[in-house]
Amino acid sequence: MALLRPVPLDGSPEAVGRLVAALEDALAGGPAVLPVGPGGSAVEAEPGDGAAVVIATSGSTGAAKHVVLSARALRASATATAERLGGPARWLLALPAHHVAGVQVLVRSLLAGAPPVVQDLRAGFRPDAFAAATRELGPGRRCTSLVPTQLHRLLDAGGAALDALRGYAAVLVGGAALAPQLRERAVAAGVAVVTTYGMSETAGGCVYDGVPLDGVRVDLEADGRIRIGGPTLADGYLGDPARTAEAFVAGWFRTGDLGRWRAGRLEVLGRADDVIVTGGEKVAPAAVEEVLTAQEGVAAACVVGVPDAEWGQLVAAAVEVPDGPLDAARAERLRAAVRDALGRAAVPRILRAVPRIPLRGIGKPDRAATARLVAGEAPPAHTDASAHPRIG
């Protein structure tokens, strides 16, 4: 049994080219590949028969996991994506290749027989470089995959970057929740946005615009926790049978996310661990964030719970408001919007304006860093004692 083949990645097209060659070999039955991003390290382990890729990932707790994906799962995901999007296409890789979304762009390209164009990310994601890389794709059907932060920057940049974005048959957006306001802005600008939901354990996005890909099963447990089944599931966690047995049960992967069905589509409500309990009431941060980002002038929001002796937790929100200060009147308008939509318990007790919402990975809100921001020694921008729910 062969050991993992590590492929160091630095964001350059040359390094990604080496990963593409290793992936092609792995899909044909060669050694499994471990994409190693900046700061990552190789792992000496035997991933098991059929393994093609091992993705190193960590959640908000920082606990490292290594997800083992078979060639079968990767092919099933890529094939289902092509079918959902209307057939094969040329793909632009604008994401880090050591994340599952980046790997899947490469796998889709290999199965389509069309080499990907790779945006150089060594200096970070730049809209002008995105436009230049898009031109390299040439004519024909083109697709790409982005995170919401990248989509936001391309829309803000306008010009050649936005023209390039409009030329894609599909722009998959995942990795973090896509704010309704940002989606509406993109659609209004002529961008073919497709929201995706998935994770490394499902070989990347497996639910598009709320509808599972062909062959993918989605179910909700009694507590609203999302579980996923089907051919795109990972084999488990490398060298961690206990964690594998806990998460992969009877052909299902038990996610850490809560969801609900609305008009036949899956709506993801956020992480179960992120639920805030304030004064005995449960508040889903994602629901509050959706309301806040729908308000004029709010570019992004992250909602967290901070400890409180009386209420257990307080609902706290960091918001990006680039077009002006978060004065008392504006803060009250935001609170009123949340109160009207979700009730008193969900109203943020603390509101703090920040230049940027802290992010981790490829664009997920860093809730731990946000909690430190809003609960820091500096006084918050606005506090509101009346925002607490009433008891009794």
Side-chain angles (χ1 to χ4, degrees), residues 66 90 154 173 222 241 272 384:
H66 290 84
R90 284 288 309 270
L154 290 168
V173 182
D384 178 15

Side-chain angles (χ1 to χ4, degrees), residues 56-66 243 271 273 360-361 365-369 372:
T57 182
S58 63
S60 58
T61 63
K65 297 179 291 186
H66 290 84
R243 184 179 281 176
R271 299 284 299 175
D273 293 345
R360 62 180 176 84
D366 189 330
R367 297 191 185 277
R372 291 193 294 270

Side-chain angles (χ1 to χ4, degrees), residues 1-371:
M1 191 180 298
L3 296 177
L4 280 171
R5 178 193 295 180
V7 179
L9 298 165
D10 60 3
S12 70
E14 295 77 17
V16 174
R18 291 190 288 272
L19 176 59
V20 170
L23 280 173
E24 187 171 22
D25 188 26
L27 291 172
V33 178
L34 174 68
V36 181
S41 58
V43 177
E44 293 187 3
E46 296 180 349
D49 294 335
V53 175
V54 173
I55 297 291
T57 182
S58 63
S60 58
T61 63
K65 297 179 291 186
H66 290 84
V67 180
V68 181
L69 290 165
S70 67
R72 180 184 61 83
L74 292 167
R75 288 178 180 275
S77 176
T79 300
T81 292
E83 291 173 352
R84 178 64 57 86
L85 299 182
R90 284 288 309 270
W91 283 81
L92 169 67
L93 176 65
L95 296 171
H98 59 283
H99 290 284
V100 69
V103 167
Q104 276 293 41
V105 167
L106 303 181
V107 173
R108 294 170 196 142
S109 298
L110 285 169
L111 294 190
V117 169
V118 180
Q119 182 176 344
D120 194 326
L121 298 177
R122 282 175 291 185
F125 178 80
R126 301 196 329 272
D128 61 331
F130 177 87
T134 299
R135 288 192 292 271
E136 293 183 37
L137 282 171
R141 293 189 76 253
R142 299 180 291 187
C143 295
T144 191
S145 186
L146 304 172
V147 296
T149 301
Q150 292 172 314
L151 177 62
H152 195 285
R153 292 179 184 175
L154 290 168
L155 292 172
D156 282 351
L162 181 54
D163 288 341
L165 195 60
R166 291 190 182 110
Y168 285 88
V171 178
L172 306 186
V173 182
L178 177 61
Q181 186 181 38
L182 181 58
R183 179 189 172 91
E184 291 167 7
R185 182 184 171 196
V187 171
V191 181
V193 170
V194 178
T195 60
T196 71
Y197 169 70
M199 56 282 299
S200 298
E201 291 88 345
T202 62
C206 61
V207 179
Y208 285 15
D209 287 335
V211 179
L213 294 176
D214 291 349
V216 173
R217 307 189 312 275
V218 177
D219 189 27
L220 300 181
E221 297 181 352
D223 62 354
R225 185 184 297 261
I226 300 169
R227 63 175 185 168
I228 298 173
T232 70
L233 289 193
D235 291 346
Y237 299 113
L238 185 68
D240 197 340
R243 184 179 281 176
T244 298
E246 180 182 2
F248 295 86
V249 180
W252 294 92
F253 170 66
R254 301 183 69 245
T255 77
D257 298 319
L258 299 176
R260 65 184 178 191
W261 294 105
R262 175 176 287 183
R265 296 177 184 269
L266 178 68
E267 182 178 349
V268 182
L269 302 177
R271 299 284 299 175
D273 293 345
D274 293 335
V275 169
I276 301 165
V277 181
T278 179
E281 300 282 346
K282 292 183 178 179
V283 176
V288 182
E289 291 162 1
E290 182 173 339
V291 174
L292 290 173
T293 55
Q295 307 311 305
E296 184 177 357
V298 177
C302 183
V303 175
V304 298
V306 297
D308 181 76
E310 181 179 1
W311 299 95
Q313 289 180 298
L314 299 179
V315 179
V319 292
E320 290 182 20
V321 282
D323 63 340
L326 183 65
D327 55 25
R330 191 172 196 179
E332 178 50 37
R333 286 196 296 271
L334 295 180
R335 288 194 174 96
V338 174
R339 187 182 300 112
D340 291 345
L342 303 174
R344 291 179 58 86
V347 176
R349 171 71 171 82
I350 300 171
L351 274 172
R352 184 187 293 279
V354 297
R356 291 281 186 186
I357 298 296
L359 301 177
R360 62 180 176 84
I362 58 172
K364 296 179 185 294
D366 189 330
R367 297 191 185 277
T370 300

